[in-house]
Protein backbone atom coordinates (compact mmCIF):
# COMPACT_ATOMS: atom_id res chain seq x y z
CA UNK A 1 0.00 0.00 0.00
CA UNK A 2 1.27 3.49 -0.83
CA UNK A 3 1.88 5.69 2.16
CA UNK A 4 0.01 8.94 1.66
CA UNK A 5 -2.03 10.00 4.68
CA UNK A 6 0.01 10.51 7.83
CA UNK A 7 -0.72 12.04 11.23
CA UNK A 8 1.41 15.16 11.63
CA UNK A 9 1.95 16.68 15.07
CA UNK A 10 3.56 19.99 15.96
CA UNK A 11 4.86 20.18 19.53
CA UNK A 12 4.97 23.86 20.46
CA UNK A 13 5.71 25.89 23.58
CA UNK A 14 2.01 26.61 24.13
CA UNK A 15 0.11 23.92 22.25
CA UNK A 16 0.51 20.45 20.74
CA UNK A 17 -1.43 20.34 17.48
CA UNK A 18 -2.18 17.44 15.19
CA UNK A 19 -4.08 16.65 12.01
CA UNK A 20 -4.11 13.95 9.36
CA UNK A 21 -2.22 15.16 6.32
CA UNK A 22 -2.42 14.22 2.67
CA UNK A 23 1.33 14.31 2.07
CA UNK A 24 0.93 14.28 -1.71
CA UNK A 25 -1.12 17.45 -1.80
CA UNK A 26 0.25 19.04 1.38
CA UNK A 27 -3.19 19.64 2.86
CA UNK A 28 -4.91 18.77 6.12
CA UNK A 29 -7.63 16.16 5.76
CA UNK A 30 -9.07 16.86 9.21
CA UNK A 31 -9.54 19.81 11.54
CA UNK A 32 -6.50 20.55 13.69
CA UNK A 33 -6.80 19.07 17.17
CA UNK A 34 -4.97 21.10 19.81
CA UNK A 35 -4.09 20.32 23.42
CA UNK A 36 -2.33 22.97 25.52
CA UNK A 37 1.29 22.02 26.18
CA UNK A 38 1.45 20.63 29.73
CA UNK A 39 3.45 22.69 32.20
CA UNK A 40 6.12 21.68 33.00
CA UNK A 41 6.51 20.31 29.47
CA UNK A 42 8.34 17.14 30.51
CA UNK A 43 8.85 14.24 28.07
CA UNK A 44 6.42 12.03 30.02
CA UNK A 45 3.69 14.69 30.13
CA UNK A 46 4.02 15.43 26.40
CA UNK A 47 4.07 11.69 25.59
CA UNK A 48 0.64 11.45 27.26
CA UNK A 49 -0.61 14.31 25.09
CA UNK A 50 0.75 12.55 21.98
CA UNK A 51 -1.25 9.49 22.99
CA UNK A 52 -4.42 11.58 23.40
CA UNK A 53 -3.93 13.02 19.92
CA UNK A 54 -3.52 9.61 18.28
CA UNK A 55 -6.60 8.41 20.18
CA UNK A 56 -8.59 11.46 19.08
CA UNK A 57 -7.96 10.49 15.46
CA UNK A 58 -8.33 6.79 16.24
CA UNK A 59 -4.94 6.49 14.53
CA UNK A 60 -2.56 3.56 14.40
CA UNK A 61 -0.54 4.44 11.30
CA UNK A 62 2.73 6.38 11.03
CA UNK A 63 3.16 9.69 12.84
CA UNK A 64 5.56 12.55 12.18
CA UNK A 65 6.25 15.10 14.91
CA UNK A 66 8.10 18.41 15.01
CA UNK A 67 9.91 19.24 18.26
CA UNK A 68 11.27 22.68 19.30
CA UNK A 69 14.91 21.63 19.66
CA UNK A 70 17.77 19.93 17.84
CA UNK A 71 16.93 16.33 16.89
CA UNK A 72 19.59 13.90 15.73
CA UNK A 73 18.25 10.52 14.59
CA UNK A 74 15.28 10.90 16.91
CA UNK A 75 17.36 12.02 19.92
CA UNK A 76 16.77 15.50 21.39
CA UNK A 77 19.99 17.46 21.85
CA UNK A 78 18.67 20.86 22.99
CA UNK A 79 15.51 22.16 24.65
CA UNK A 80 15.48 25.97 24.67
CA UNK A 81 11.82 26.49 25.54
CA UNK A 82 10.83 23.16 27.05
CA UNK A 83 11.97 21.21 30.08
CA UNK A 84 15.71 20.40 30.10
CA UNK A 85 14.96 16.74 30.87
CA UNK A 86 14.35 16.26 27.10
CA UNK A 87 18.06 16.45 26.38
CA UNK A 88 19.50 13.12 25.15
CA UNK A 89 16.10 11.37 25.22
CA UNK A 90 15.26 9.21 22.22
CA UNK A 91 11.93 10.74 21.23
CA UNK A 92 11.23 8.31 18.41
CA UNK A 93 11.31 5.55 21.01
CA UNK A 94 9.47 7.43 23.76
CA UNK A 95 6.56 8.53 21.55
CA UNK A 96 6.33 5.24 19.66
CA UNK A 97 6.01 3.40 22.96
CA UNK A 98 3.49 5.89 24.34
CA UNK A 99 1.22 5.86 21.29
CA UNK A 100 1.70 2.37 19.85
CA UNK A 101 2.32 4.08 16.47
CA UNK A 102 5.59 4.43 14.59
CA UNK A 103 6.68 7.98 15.39
CA UNK A 104 9.50 9.95 13.74
CA UNK A 105 10.55 13.24 15.31
CA UNK A 106 12.42 16.12 13.67
CA UNK A 107 13.16 19.74 14.50
CA UNK A 108 9.93 21.79 14.20
CA UNK A 109 11.42 24.52 11.99
CA UNK A 110 12.93 21.90 9.66
CA UNK A 111 9.48 20.33 9.34
CA UNK A 112 7.84 23.69 8.59
CA UNK A 113 10.57 24.47 6.06
CA UNK A 114 10.07 21.18 4.22
CA UNK A 115 6.37 21.96 3.83
CA UNK A 116 6.94 25.54 2.67
CA UNK A 117 9.51 24.50 0.09
CA UNK A 118 7.37 21.71 -1.34
CA UNK A 119 3.94 23.35 -1.19
CA UNK A 120 4.23 26.96 -0.04
CA UNK A 121 6.16 30.19 -0.40
CA UNK A 122 9.40 28.40 -1.34
CA UNK A 123 7.89 26.17 -4.01
CA UNK A 124 10.04 26.07 -7.13
CA UNK A 125 12.40 28.76 -5.80
CA UNK A 126 16.08 28.35 -6.62
CA UNK A 127 18.97 29.89 -4.72
CA UNK A 128 19.26 30.37 -0.97
CA UNK A 129 16.08 30.50 1.04
CA UNK A 130 15.98 31.44 4.70
CA UNK A 131 12.88 30.52 6.64
CA UNK A 132 12.39 32.03 10.10
CA UNK A 133 9.56 30.77 12.31
CA UNK A 134 8.45 33.30 14.89
CA UNK A 135 6.61 31.90 17.88
CA UNK A 136 7.75 31.00 21.38
CA UNK A 137 11.22 30.52 19.91
CA UNK A 138 12.94 31.61 16.69
CA UNK A 139 13.34 28.66 14.34
CA UNK A 140 15.68 28.95 11.37
CA UNK A 141 16.04 26.87 8.22
CA UNK A 142 18.23 27.40 5.19
CA UNK A 143 17.56 25.72 1.85
CA UNK A 144 20.08 25.83 -0.96
CA UNK A 145 18.39 24.98 -4.28
CA UNK A 146 15.76 22.99 -2.41
CA UNK A 147 18.22 21.11 -0.15
CA UNK A 148 18.04 21.48 3.61
CA UNK A 149 20.82 21.37 6.20
CA UNK A 150 19.00 20.19 9.36
CA UNK A 151 19.15 21.63 12.87
CA UNK A 152 20.44 25.13 12.18
CA UNK A 153 20.02 26.99 15.43
CA UNK A 154 20.44 30.57 14.25
CA UNK A 155 17.63 31.85 16.42
CA UNK A 156 20.28 31.87 19.14
CA UNK A 157 22.87 34.12 17.49
CA UNK A 158 23.95 37.02 19.68
CA UNK A 159 22.23 40.40 19.34
CA UNK A 160 23.34 43.15 21.72
CA UNK A 161 25.42 40.51 23.49
CA UNK A 162 22.50 38.20 24.30
CA UNK A 163 20.50 35.37 22.73
CA UNK A 164 18.53 36.89 19.82
CA UNK A 165 15.55 34.78 20.78
CA UNK A 166 15.11 36.71 24.02
CA UNK A 167 15.04 39.97 22.06
CA UNK A 168 13.16 39.34 18.86
CA UNK A 169 10.72 36.49 19.18
CA UNK A 170 6.95 36.78 19.51
CA UNK A 171 7.19 35.62 23.13
CA UNK A 172 9.57 38.56 23.80
CA UNK A 173 6.99 40.95 22.30
CA UNK A 174 4.30 39.62 24.63
CA UNK A 175 6.52 39.36 27.71
CA UNK A 176 7.82 42.92 27.40
CA UNK A 177 4.48 44.39 26.28
CA UNK A 178 6.06 45.79 23.13
CA UNK A 179 3.83 47.46 20.55
CA UNK A 180 4.12 46.00 17.05
CA UNK A 181 6.25 48.88 15.73
CA UNK A 182 8.83 48.47 18.49
CA UNK A 183 8.91 44.73 18.14
CA UNK A 184 9.15 44.99 14.34
CA UNK A 185 12.25 47.20 14.76
CA UNK A 186 13.85 44.47 16.85
CA UNK A 187 12.86 41.72 14.45
CA UNK A 188 14.21 43.77 11.55
CA UNK A 189 17.56 44.08 13.37
CA UNK A 190 17.59 40.31 13.69
CA UNK A 191 16.84 39.78 9.99
CA UNK A 192 19.51 42.30 8.96
CA UNK A 193 22.08 40.44 11.05
CA UNK A 194 20.99 37.14 9.51
CA UNK A 195 21.25 38.68 6.06
CA UNK A 196 24.86 39.66 6.77
CA UNK A 197 25.61 36.07 7.77
CA UNK A 198 23.64 34.07 5.23
CA UNK A 199 22.84 36.32 2.21
CA UNK A 200 19.56 34.62 1.33
CA UNK A 201 17.78 35.38 -1.95
CA UNK A 202 14.42 35.19 -0.26
CA UNK A 203 13.23 35.16 3.35
CA UNK A 204 10.04 33.39 4.43
CA UNK A 205 8.44 34.23 7.77
CA UNK A 206 6.47 31.41 9.39
CA UNK A 207 5.06 30.54 12.79
CA UNK A 208 2.31 32.29 14.72
CA UNK A 209 3.50 35.82 13.81
CA UNK A 210 3.19 35.08 10.08
CA UNK A 211 -0.56 35.63 10.39
CA UNK A 212 0.07 39.19 11.59
CA UNK A 213 2.26 40.23 8.66
CA UNK A 214 0.18 43.42 8.08
CA UNK A 215 1.40 44.72 11.41
CA UNK A 216 5.13 44.46 10.79
CA UNK A 217 6.19 43.56 7.25
CA UNK A 218 6.42 47.24 6.26
CA UNK A 219 9.22 47.68 8.85
CA UNK A 220 11.48 45.04 7.28
CA UNK A 221 14.38 46.46 5.28
CA UNK A 222 16.51 43.51 4.15
CA UNK A 223 17.73 43.42 0.57
CA UNK A 224 16.19 39.97 0.23
CA UNK A 225 12.47 39.92 -0.41
CA UNK A 226 10.52 38.89 2.70
CA UNK A 227 7.30 36.93 2.23
CA UNK A 228 4.89 35.25 4.65
CA UNK A 229 4.71 31.48 4.79
CA UNK A 230 1.80 30.23 2.73
CA UNK A 231 0.91 27.31 4.92
CA UNK A 232 1.06 29.59 7.96
CA UNK A 233 0.47 27.62 11.14
CA UNK A 234 -0.17 24.39 9.27
CA UNK A 235 3.38 24.12 7.89
CA UNK A 236 4.71 22.37 11.02
CA UNK A 237 2.02 19.69 10.87
CA UNK A 238 2.27 19.13 7.12
CA UNK A 239 6.09 19.04 7.22
CA UNK A 240 6.18 16.60 10.14
CA UNK A 241 3.95 14.22 8.18
CA UNK A 242 6.18 14.60 5.09
CA UNK A 243 9.27 13.76 7.10
CA UNK A 244 7.63 10.66 8.56
CA UNK A 245 6.80 9.52 5.03
CA UNK A 246 10.43 10.01 4.04
CA UNK A 247 11.76 7.92 6.95
CA UNK A 248 9.18 5.20 6.46
CA UNK A 249 10.30 4.85 2.84
CA UNK A 250 13.97 4.80 3.86
CA UNK A 251 13.42 2.11 6.46
CA UNK A 252 11.48 -0.20 4.13
C1 LIG B 1 14.91 26.07 19.26
C2 LIG B 1 14.81 25.54 17.85
C3 LIG B 1 13.37 25.60 17.39
C4 LIG B 1 12.81 27.00 17.55
C5 LIG B 1 11.36 27.09 17.15
C6 LIG B 1 14.29 27.45 19.34
O1 LIG B 1 14.31 27.90 20.65
O2 LIG B 1 16.25 26.13 19.70
O3 LIG B 1 15.29 24.23 17.79
O4 LIG B 1 13.30 25.20 16.05
O5 LIG B 1 12.94 27.42 18.88
O6 LIG B 1 10.55 26.30 17.96
Amino acid sequence: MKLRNILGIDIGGSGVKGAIVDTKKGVLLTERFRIPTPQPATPEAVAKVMKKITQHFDWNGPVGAGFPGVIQQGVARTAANVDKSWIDKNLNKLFSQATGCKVHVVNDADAAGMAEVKFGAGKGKKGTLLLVTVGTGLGTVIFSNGKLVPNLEMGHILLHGADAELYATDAARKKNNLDWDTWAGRFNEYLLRMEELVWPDRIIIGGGASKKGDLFFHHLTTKAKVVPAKLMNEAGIVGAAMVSKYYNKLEK
Side-chain angles (χ1 to χ4, degrees):
M1 197 186 71
K2 277 226 172 96
L3 203 55
R4 177 159 175 174
N5 300 344
I6 292 181
L7 175 59
I9 299 181
D10 187 16
I11 302 168
S14 60
V16 185
K17 295 139 279 180
I20 297 173
V21 178
D22 177 338
T23 55
K24 200 162 174 202
K25 291 192 180 152
V27 294
L28 304 193
L29 295 172
T30 62
E31 289 280 307
R32 284 192 329 160
F33 177 60
R34 180 183 189 276
I35 297 182
T37 308
Q39 299 301 338
T42 58
E44 294 69 28
V46 173
K48 282 193 187 138
V49 168
M50 297 286 286
K51 182 167 185 195
K52 279 193 192 145
I53 294 180
T54 53
Q55 283 172 338
H56 170 85
F57 290 106
D58 201 10
W59 189 256
N60 54 20
V63 177
F67 175 80
V70 170
I71 300 286
Q72 285 182 312
Q73 286 82 41
V75 178
R77 297 298 186 197
T78 69
N81 291 303
V82 281
D83 200 80
K84 298 293 169 241
S85 56
W86 288 91
I87 295 174
D88 293 337
K89 276 238 154 60
N90 186 325
L91 306 194
N92 286 357
K93 225 176 171 175
L94 175 75
F95 293 153
S96 297
Q97 275 165 3
T99 59
C101 302
K102 194 165 178 196
V103 184
H104 286 100
V105 183
V106 290
N107 172 263
D108 57 354
D110 287 350
M114 299 286 290
E116 278 302 320
V117 160
K118 181 92 198 266
F119 301 109
K123 188 175 168 187
K125 299 282 178 246
K126 295 255 178 312
T128 305
L129 260 179
L130 167 68
L131 178 113
V132 181
T133 65
V134 191
T136 309
L138 278 180
T140 52
V141 195
I142 295 171
F143 281 88
S144 170
N145 293 322
K147 289 260 184 305
L148 156 98
V149 178
N151 290 313
L152 286 183
E153 287 288 313
M154 298 187 83
H156 302 291
I157 60 168
L158 295 184
L159 261 192
H160 305 294
D163 188 332
E165 192 167 275
L166 302 174
Y167 183 72
T169 197
D170 203 34
R173 180 184 63 77
K174 292 178 185 153
K175 187 169 168 221
N176 301 306
N177 282 322
L178 303 178
D179 57 43
W180 279 96
D181 291 344
T182 310
W183 175 79
R186 289 186 176 200
F187 185 59
N188 190 44
E189 271 181 70
Y190 172 71
L191 288 186
L192 288 172
R193 184 75 189 109
M194 285 297 287
E195 181 161 61
E196 282 170 358
L197 297 170
V198 175
W199 292 103
D201 298 300
R202 193 179 172 90
I203 301 176
I204 304 175
I205 307 298
S210 60
K211 288 184 289 190
K212 307 264 172 64
D214 301 359
L215 297 170
F216 67 92
F217 265 61
H218 55 284
H219 286 287
L220 307 179
T221 60
T222 53
K223 289 191 179 61
K225 187 171 179 191
V226 187
V227 297
K230 274 210 181 117
L231 283 79
M232 304 280 179
N233 256 348
E234 289 177 6
I237 295 176
V238 173
M242 288 166 63
V243 171
S244 155
K245 180 175 171 178
Y246 169 80
Y247 281 114
N248 274 285
K249 270 191 178 164
L250 266 191
E251 289 163 10
K252 253 194 189 159

